[in-house]
Amino acid sequence: MKKDLLSIKDLTTKEIEEMFDLAVKLKRNKSKFNKVLAGKTLALIFQKPSNRTRVSFEVGMYQLGGNSIYLSPGEINLGVREAVKDVAKTISRYVDGIVLRTFEHKNCLEMAAAAGVPVINGLSDFSHPCQALADLFTIGEKFARLNPASHKLGSKLKGLTLAYVGDGNNVCNSLLFAAAKTGMNIAVATPDGYAPDGQVVKDAKEAAKETGSQIRITQDPLSAVNGANVVYTDVWASMGQEEEIGKRKIIFKDFQINARLLTNAATGVILMHCLPAHRGEEITDEMMDSKNSVVFDQAENRMHVQKAILIKLLSKD
Ligand code: CP
Ligand code: NVA
């Protein structure tokens, strides 16, 4: 049966671990895998702009021996020119996998239900699973020295704490699921009214019972960052919320990653951002460019991890 990747909630800890193991190999030895998806084609249906997701999927597919087709917002005009399920059924006759970047998450669910091929969520208003997987992979790499006895990258996350400071958005939701599934602790600090989805927090806490991950939601950024090994942020207004930025700049002003906020973070703290960053808003220039910032390693890892996702989902016939 085909498998989709719509939310990290649907993945088991073992599946994440296997994905990371494969991504390590893909990153170390590019040429070994250059034919594994030969003859396969990936469609990218995007209703929002993208740099990292589009380029890393297209280049990744090419490096695995396959092809990709990018379909811009105006091309498919999802749900307007044609119903989501009709797009899914038609495209499935041509390609071997679909990456969908959309607004409402229900489009991902409808696409996956109707498509005969795997559907990967390349960002919806609800979640950004590929991002969070690459983020945890990056954290595992950066903190590998803490648990040298284990070869498993995922197991290196246990006991670390990530502080997410900012909007309780799609990226935050996915990080909550990802932390819960891998045993990493997570503290989320958002302004009042911008907390992550209540059901996500509930589901993540349920999953955390299995792994020992500790999940904390607060409105105090300083307390979230206290002792954190990783400090993560994202834009204050996501794609589709651009008109709210004036209001949000006032509400989120104390939720900026800056030198003062990091005073009580753990020694060797790393700074993460899914990008694109709005320098001077959610993160200062100084912090983005500091030696603690790993934002471009994080961006690079999108490709290695997504290649693993593509092999896992598309190489099954
Ligand atoms: N982080 C991320 O998904 O970037 P893009 O929006 O540029 O794809
Ligand atoms: N939360 C952001 C993430 C961009 C990668 C957005 O949805 O626009």
Side-chain angles (χ1 to χ4, degrees), residues 98-304:
I98 299 168
V99 180
L100 176 62
R101 170 163 284 204
T102 188
F103 290 88
E104 295 169 287
H105 189 67
K106 77 170 174 41
N107 289 337
C108 292
L109 301 173
E110 278 181 38
M111 179 79 70
V117 298
V119 175
I120 299 168
N121 176 3
L123 182 148
S124 68
D125 288 348
F126 172 69
S127 68
H128 198 3
C130 301
Q131 179 69 53
L133 287 171
D135 296 340
L136 265 63
F137 180 87
T138 308
I139 297 167
E141 274 187 340
K142 299 292 173 193
F143 290 95
R145 69 187 189 291
L146 292 184
N147 193 357
S150 172
H151 298 299
K152 297 276 181 203
L153 207 136
S155 64
K156 297 181 194 303
L157 301 168
K158 276 200 196 334
L160 294 172
T161 299
L162 180 149
Y164 177 94
V165 177
D167 187 21
N169 61 17
N170 45 7
V171 170
C172 178
N173 288 343
S174 289
L175 286 169
L176 276 162
F177 286 134
K181 298 265 175 172
T182 56
M184 193 174 71
N185 304 321
I186 182 165
V188 174
T190 71
D192 190 16
Y194 294 86
D197 186 284
Q199 189 62 45
V200 171
V201 176
K202 202 163 160 250
D203 291 342
K205 284 189 172 167
E206 193 55 41
K209 286 182 190 162
E210 301 274 311
T211 61
S213 157
Q214 291 181 13
I215 297 176
R216 190 159 65 92
I217 311 293
T218 172
Q219 291 173 9
D220 179 357
L222 278 167
S223 108
V225 167
N226 196 359
N229 308 96
V230 182
V231 175
Y232 195 119
T233 193
D234 184 14
V235 288
W236 290 339
S238 286
M239 291 181 274
Q241 298 172 331
E242 288 82 0
E243 76 289 350
E244 291 182 33
I245 189 59
K247 178 179 108 182
R248 284 175 177 247
K249 274 186 189 172
I250 299 164
I251 295 171
F252 282 83
K253 70 174 177 10
D254 295 329
F255 291 77
Q256 183 190 60
I257 305 301
N258 54 38
R260 193 180 60 83
L261 185 72
L262 295 180
T263 318
N264 292 325
T267 312
V269 64
I270 61 168
L271 306 181
M272 301 185 81
H273 193 309
C274 56
L275 305 179
H278 292 173
R279 288 169 178 259
E281 291 180 19
E282 74 277 2
I283 187 165
T284 58
D285 261 328
E286 185 196 2
M287 290 297 110
M288 266 287 280
D289 300 327
S290 73
K291 63 175 183 4
N292 305 65
S293 168
V294 301
V295 298
F296 300 109
D297 294 334
Q298 191 185 347
E300 178 190 327
N301 282 334
R302 291 289 304 278
M303 188 168 76
H304 305 302

